Amino acid sequence: MTKCPFSGVTLSPGAARPGPVSFAQICDVMPIGAMTCDLTTFTIDYANPYSIELLHSIRETIGIDPDQIIGTSIDVFHKNPSYQRELLSEPGNLPHKARIRFGDEWLDLRIHPLPEPDGQVRRALLVWSIATAEVLKEQEEYRLLRMIDDMPVAVMTVDPATYCITYANETSKRTLGQIDEHLPLKAADLLGASIDVFHKNPAHQRRLLADPANLPHNARIKVGPEVLDLQASAVRGTDGAYLGPMLTWSLVTQQVAAEARIQQLAHYDTLTGLANRTTFREHLGAALARGRAGLGLLFIDLDGFKIVNDSHGHLVGDALLRHVADRLRVACARPGMMVSRLGGDEFAVLTPEIAPADLAAFAQGLIDTLVAPYQVETERCLEVGASIGIAVAPEHGDAPEALLSRADMALYSAKAAGKRTFRLFCTEMEVRLHERVRLEAKLRAALADMDGLFLYYQPITDVRTRAVTAREALIRWHHPGRGWISPAEFIPIAEESGLIRDLGAWVLRRACEDAASWEDGARVAVNVSPRQLGTGTLASAVLDALFASGLSPDRLEIEVTESALLGDEKAGLADLRRIRDMGVRVALDDFGTGFSSLAHLRAFPFDKIKIDGSFVRDAVQRPDCAAIVGVVADLGRRLGVTTVAEGVETQAHLDLVIAEGCSEVQGYLLGRPAPRAADLPRIADLTAPFPTRKTA
């Protein structure tokens, strides 16, 4: 048996033999470009018809005439002809494969040696095809693959039959490397691994991914302390057939923590960790919507917290609030109870159905818990009080705002009752609140019209000469409907409503105007509210009053209480220094009833100390009060400061304060408050009697 050298067909003995077939005849019918090249001249000496056809299709790109291809140098098929010739000169380099680009076209070229009978290679066969579409497809797939590899989201594909990972981008491997200590899988072993390692319920996951109707699907899964966001999508072929799932996932542990933090900030107080006002309001609304009777709302306000906060600093104040919150948590650790910090030093407690008597006992227990001393810092013990207002649903309101408002009214009543106590809302509180609102409106109108406001003056007398050295200006208000109203009632309203600034400015102007007309040249003493001090406006108000009246600055005394300095003490003392620099005298009023008295005397050079009348009135019967009067008088003498004994109502009082060394006295014995002469006719027309005791 023999084999045909061109066709490769085996011929059996006796079979009819085909005629001889040339190499060119074979190549002429090949459905691929075929050309031969003379390696001595590097020119093309044969090209099959398909080559001519292909060359015509890329004629513009390749830049040669396909019909003139025979005899053309093969240099046209390579950008580096010298390299190509060097390659073909050495038969040992063949066969050789190359991909060549002509403009937008790509050719796949394979070069094979054509040995002659003597074994020499003088010619080469070039087999080629246009690979542009294939190359573009490969490039597109490559670009897509690179894009997927570079995506910040982990991407994996899964075999739908075995549920094993068939592809994983670089982000998958990199991210898995951060959490593989929590998985029975290492990043290096990702390909071929089962996706069961990513889910606590593999059977459920497999059922989900098996049916493309379930996709896309999102899930958040926890791997140890880490959290993954996972999305499964269906990958389909060009015919729409389901090829399998693609998983995209990312490590969102920090994001989840941030979301939790945002939720915490939105619903809980950052300082104490208690529910904030918004959350409490929502919880209260939900509880009221359920319509259960006996729901209790307790408003808690700390007594004296501002003093602690201002005197010890905000860091200590914040620490104290955290301690208060901790005590409330323990005291309210009962089913159905909720504790909230509404803001500042205000807290609230919501209780489930509870009998009124039990609610009262619970409120008193909270007060007892909160007033116990606090160990806030090393060797520092602080005390605050607590006042509580209580409202009960539905009898005091079946809507959140109504119940909150009435609990607030009850709290205001508890504060007015002396603090460190609780009050249950009653309708009289609402009546009093409305009356207070009406009183504020009337006071505002009186200030606008200057109708019904008067200044009375009480003399301050030198104990030796009995001469009047000064007169204290005391404001009085006659209400058209209620008659004379005590300053103890309307001054707090003016302070809380902000009217005190205008009221204080009016008092300063009127007092300076009146004092300018006094023939005895006595000074005028004007009280300043704590709300006026530390705002930066007092000095300008004093200057305006002095300028308008023409009163000499040394004839004006500004009286401040120690409590006025317990706010922003630095700003308050700055205000006092400004007016003292003008030549105005400054007196410390009600000395002995406030806080840190000696510290205030050291911080500011007061011109006068006024001993509170409560010590003077009790001094005759109580040696301790007499001793306090004597100590303060001696302190004033050593500091070179005038001491005034207030509340001198009897001769015994006068004798005692003189004996103890006081410089001046003030009280009913030597002079009651009286209006200026110009106001006497108007006051005479008023029918209501004027209070006979000093109330401001």
Side-chain angles (χ1 to χ4, degrees):
M1 297 180 68
T2 61
K3 183 179 290 185
C4 175
F6 298 110
S7 66
V9 177
T10 302
L11 301 176
S12 58
R17 295 179 180 271
V21 180
S22 69
F23 177 78
Q25 287 176 315
I26 296 174
C27 291
D28 282 347
V29 298
M30 287 177 61
I32 189 169
M35 297 183 296
T36 59
C37 169
D38 186 331
L39 296 181
T40 60
T41 63
F42 296 103
T43 57
I44 297 170
D45 56 11
Y46 167 79
N48 72 343
Y50 198 74
S51 288
I52 305 301
E53 182 181 339
L54 290 178
L55 288 173
H56 271 288
S57 69
I58 61 172
R59 179 174 182 169
E60 293 182 2
T61 302
I62 200 169
I64 62 173
D65 183 356
D67 296 328
Q68 303 296 324
I69 191 68
I70 305 300
T72 300
S73 172
I74 65 169
D75 293 348
V76 298
F77 291 100
H78 207 284
K79 290 185 177 180
N80 190 344
S82 61
Y83 168 75
Q84 182 175 244
R85 290 190 177 203
E86 182 179 348
L87 179 75
L88 297 178
S89 298
E90 179 57 54
N93 294 330
L94 304 179
H96 175 72
K97 291 169 52 176
R99 178 164 279 174
I100 308 169
R101 183 173 184 176
F102 291 95
D104 294 333
E105 304 293 345
W106 289 85
L107 303 183
D108 266 350
L109 180 65
R110 295 187 295 279
I111 305 174
H112 299 271
L114 290 175
E116 296 185 6
D118 60 1
Q120 297 296 314
V121 177
R122 299 182 180 88
R123 302 173 71 232
L125 172 66
L126 282 68
V127 181
W128 62 283
S129 61
I130 298 175
T132 303
E134 179 184 347
V135 170
L136 292 177
K137 182 179 179 182
E138 291 175 356
Q139 289 177 338
E140 183 64 22
E141 290 175 350
Y142 177 76
R143 282 195 296 269
L144 289 173
L145 189 61
R146 286 299 305 269
M147 288 173 60
I148 294 173
D149 270 343
D150 293 339
M151 285 175 63
V153 177
V155 178
M156 298 187 301
T157 56
V158 178
D159 185 330
T162 63
Y163 297 98
C164 291
I165 299 167
T166 57
Y167 165 78
N169 70 346
E170 291 302 315
T171 304
S172 290
K173 300 170 185 175
R174 189 167 53 251
T175 307
L176 184 63
Q178 300 175 33
I179 63 171
D180 60 7
E181 61 180 304
H182 308 295
L183 291 169
L185 176 70
K186 299 300 179 184
D189 304 325
L190 192 58
L191 294 181
S194 171
I195 61 169
D196 293 349
V197 297
F198 290 101
H199 208 281
K200 290 184 177 180
N201 189 343
H204 169 74
Q205 182 175 240
R206 290 191 175 204
R207 285 194 301 271
L208 180 74
L209 299 180
D211 186 355
N214 297 327
L215 306 179
H217 175 76
N218 296 320
R220 179 164 281 179
I221 57 178
K222 194 168 178 62
V223 179
E226 307 293 346
V227 182
L228 304 180
D229 263 355
L230 178 69
Q231 182 181 55
S233 305
V235 179
R236 297 182 182 275
T238 55
D239 59 354
Y242 178 50
L243 301 180
M246 179 178 71
L247 307 181
T248 57
W249 56 284
S250 56
L251 192 61
V252 294
T253 307
Q254 293 183 349
Q255 178 184 333
V256 169
E259 290 172 357
R261 179 61 177 162
I262 291 171
Q263 287 295 314
Q264 177 76 14
L265 292 174
H267 294 90
Y268 293 89
D269 174 52
T270 56
L271 178 64
T272 64
L274 296 176
N276 62 15
R277 180 183 290 273
T278 300
T279 303
F280 185 80
R281 170 67 176 73
E282 293 172 354
H283 194 84
L284 174 61
L288 291 173
R290 291 193 290 269
R292 294 179 179 176
L295 189 72
L297 172 60
L298 286 75
F299 251 14
I300 305 170
D301 186 81
L302 301 181
D303 304 325
F305 173 75
K306 187 176 186 303
I307 295 173
V308 172
N309 202 42
D310 292 340
S311 58
H312 295 285
H314 294 294
L315 291 179
V316 173
D318 288 349
L320 178 59
L321 289 174
R322 286 192 289 268
H323 280 283
V324 169
D326 290 341
R327 291 189 185 183
L328 286 174
R329 281 192 190 90
V330 174
C332 301
R334 307 183 189 183
M337 284 194 179
M338 182 183 189
V339 185
S340 168
R341 182 190 178 209
L342 302 181
D345 60 341
E346 291 184 339
F347 297 82
V349 176
L350 192 62
T351 67
E353 299 82 354
I354 186 171
D358 295 334
L359 191 58
F362 176 66
Q364 185 58 57
L366 287 182
I367 293 173
D368 295 340
T369 296
L370 297 178
V371 300
Y374 294 84
Q375 190 73 30
V376 175
E377 290 184 349
T378 305
E379 298 181 0
R380 174 173 286 176
C381 189
L382 301 174
E383 292 186 20
V384 292
S387 299
I388 299 178
I390 307 171
V392 179
E395 61 181 285
H396 298 151
D398 55 6
E401 294 309 318
L403 205 64
L404 287 165
S405 174
R406 284 163 180 167
D408 194 30
M409 294 179 198
L411 174 62
Y412 185 86
S413 180
K415 290 279 191 182
K419 304 180 180 179
R420 295 202 176 195
T421 187
F422 67 89
R423 287 292 184 271
L424 181 66
F425 172 79
C426 62
T427 54
E428 289 78 5
M429 294 177 185
E430 201 158 22
V431 171
R432 287 197 297 270
L433 177 64
H434 292 159
E435 174 59 28
R436 182 186 176 282
V437 172
R438 287 192 291 269
L439 199 61
E440 179 186 329
K442 291 290 185 182
L443 180 58
R444 194 178 298 275
L447 267 172
D449 301 335
M450 287 302 149
D451 182 32
L453 293 173
F454 303 94
L455 283 188
Y456 278 56
Y457 296 96
Q458 185 175 28
I460 300 173
T461 306
D462 186 290
V463 295
R464 292 174 300 162
T465 65
R466 300 300 173 93
V468 175
T469 59
R471 294 180 180 88
E472 181 178 359
L474 304 171
I475 189 169
R476 299 293 183 256
W477 179 31
H478 186 273
H479 186 281
R482 290 182 51 187
W484 294 101
I485 299 177
S486 167
E489 184 176 357
F490 73 80
I491 290 296
I493 293 176
E495 290 178 330
E496 293 173 15
S497 64
L499 292 174
I500 193 64
R501 180 175 176 177
D502 293 338
L503 185 62
W506 176 81
V507 171
L508 267 171
R509 289 194 304 271
R510 175 57 58 85
C512 289
E513 289 170 2
D514 291 345
S517 65
W518 294 343
E519 295 182 359
D520 60 3
R523 294 183 295 274
V524 63
V526 178
N527 290 284
V528 169
S529 164
R531 298 295 178 92
Q532 293 174 267
L533 199 61
T535 62
T537 61
L538 181 60
S540 59
V542 169
L543 190 61
D544 289 345
L546 292 173
F547 182 79
S549 64
L551 185 70
S552 175
D554 62 357
R555 289 190 58 201
L556 174 63
E557 288 183 357
I558 295 297
E559 293 189 1
V560 296
T561 61
E562 291 178 282
S563 59
L565 297 173
L566 292 178
D568 189 342
E569 182 176 357
K570 184 177 181 181
L573 292 176
D575 275 352
L576 295 181
R577 290 190 182 94
R578 290 189 190 99
I579 62 176
R580 200 169 190 274
D581 289 343
M582 298 178 193
V584 176
R585 294 164 59 89
V586 181
L588 185 60
D589 197 12
D590 298 335
F591 186 79
T593 60
F595 297 84
S596 306
S597 303
L598 296 179
H600 290 143
L601 290 177
R602 185 177 62 178
F604 186 82
F606 290 96
D607 299 288
K608 181 181 288 187
I609 300 173
K610 300 185 75 173
I611 305 171
D612 188 71
S614 61
F615 295 110
V616 175
R617 281 190 292 271
D618 294 339
V620 175
Q621 288 82 26
R622 293 183 54 178
D624 56 338
C625 290
I628 291 173
V629 172
V631 168
V632 176
D634 183 62
L635 179 64
R637 190 163 51 250
R638 289 173 177 269
L639 294 175
V641 176
T642 301
T643 52
V644 181
E646 297 182 292
V648 176
E649 300 178 353
T650 66
Q651 186 62 44
H653 291 155
L654 180 60
D655 294 341
L656 186 141
V657 298
I658 292 175
E660 294 294 345
C662 292
S663 311
E664 297 177 348
V665 294
Q666 180 180 357
Y668 291 162
L669 178 66
L670 300 180
R672 292 174 175 270
R676 62 179 187 159
D679 289 333
L680 287 173
R682 170 66 176 146
I683 293 173
D685 291 338
L686 301 176
T687 57
F690 181 76
T692 58
R693 297 186 66 84
K694 173 184 173 182
T695 54

